Amino acid sequence: RCPAASPQALEDHYSPSRWSPRLDRDTIIDAHLAVTAAGTERARASGQTLLHVPYGDGDGEKLDIYFPTEPSESECRGGGDGSGPGGHPAHPALCCAAFPALVYIHGGYWQCMSKDDSGFAAPPLVSQGVAVVAVGYDIAPKGHMDTMVLQVRRSLAFLVEQYPRIRGIYLCGHSAGAHLAAMVLSTDWTEFQVVPDIKGAVLVSGLYDLEPILHTYVNDALNMSREVAQRNSPMRLVTPAAPAACEVLVAVAQHDSPEFRRQSQEYSQALRAAGWSVSVLDLAGVDHFDVIERLSEDSYVLTQVGRRAVPRR
């Protein structure tokens, strides 16, 4: 289905840094990392957090949790025992107050970035009573695609089991993180013995068919076979929407590459054809990187849409 058939065309179309009109490709990724890291540092300094919470035994299997406003004394009456997983003290909010949580899954082409760059979007949400959970996973080459998908699914099962006071989970993923969030939507939760109450998903500038990148530099670190790419392509895993299926927002940047834009369009169409409630948001004036960086801004349209989609506690 990919119109960019030649090897060089594939390289170009799956290189997001080549499509931004504001910065050249040699500086935009470094600038993106600097913006998200600085935003995360500010979020950690200004809010209440529980960092590096283990949801598994692997080095990358940790969560950062950014809390909404401290619950009142009446909300905490009869709360939890104060002990958290992995030896971490439980935050009072997780023991006592019920609130929704937005789970953020970072991008980086499955081979860079981490949860430590992923708290930049927390302030506008925590100020409205929403917890933000940044998910860590083992990126390539250590992490295999199957492993990364499993880890993100397990992180949600962990949240459900450990923090039953969370009321409604909303997924948000960017780029490779949007792919992983879409893979969550195809999960058979019977394997995990829990069913997360996923209310919505915001998929930003994602990839939903992995086969085209088998023939690009992206696969050098991932080392995917065609079979691995196929079984981890959300486009191939769309199932008829269940009665309680969540709402999905597929967002794409004006200056995303034609291939990223095509994949977003085709995935949203496949979901809609299967009965899912899908909205598409084409964001003007942004590229593959600032489309997500600007979630730290209260006035940004995607921030406002996300805030309306996630109800306050």
Side-chain angles (χ1 to χ4, degrees), residues 159-219:
L159 282 174
V160 172
E161 292 172 340
Q162 295 293 327
Y163 303 125
R165 298 291 293 178
I166 290 176
R167 290 291 180 265
I169 290 174
Y170 297 79
L171 303 175
C172 179
H174 171 239
S175 194
H179 159 265
L180 293 171
M183 288 298 292
V184 168
L185 300 183
S186 70
T187 305
D188 179 0
W189 291 106
T190 59
E191 301 177 20
F192 299 86
Q193 300 180 332
V194 296
V195 181
D197 183 18
I198 299 174
K199 298 289 192 183
V202 179
L203 311 177
V204 183
S205 295
L207 289 176
Y208 310 103
D209 179 3
L210 301 188
E211 281 201 67
I213 67 172
L214 292 176
H215 314 290
T216 72
Y217 72 95
V218 180
N219 201 40

Side-chain angles (χ1 to χ4, degrees), residues 16 32 36 43 63 79 82 96 120 158 161 169 200 232 246 249 262 304:
H32 178 63
T36 55
L63 306 172
C96 311
F120 60 93
F158 170 85
E161 292 172 340
I169 290 174
N232 288 291
C246 70
L249 172 66
R262 177 188 68 83
Q304 295 174 344

Side-chain angles (χ1 to χ4, degrees), residues 8-27:
Q8 187 56 56
L10 279 173
E11 292 282 344
D12 289 342
H13 281 254
Y14 286 97
S15 300
S17 60
R18 301 186 183 192
W19 298 87
S20 173
R22 62 187 177 94
L23 291 171
D24 64 72
R25 73 188 207 190
D26 295 325
T27 60

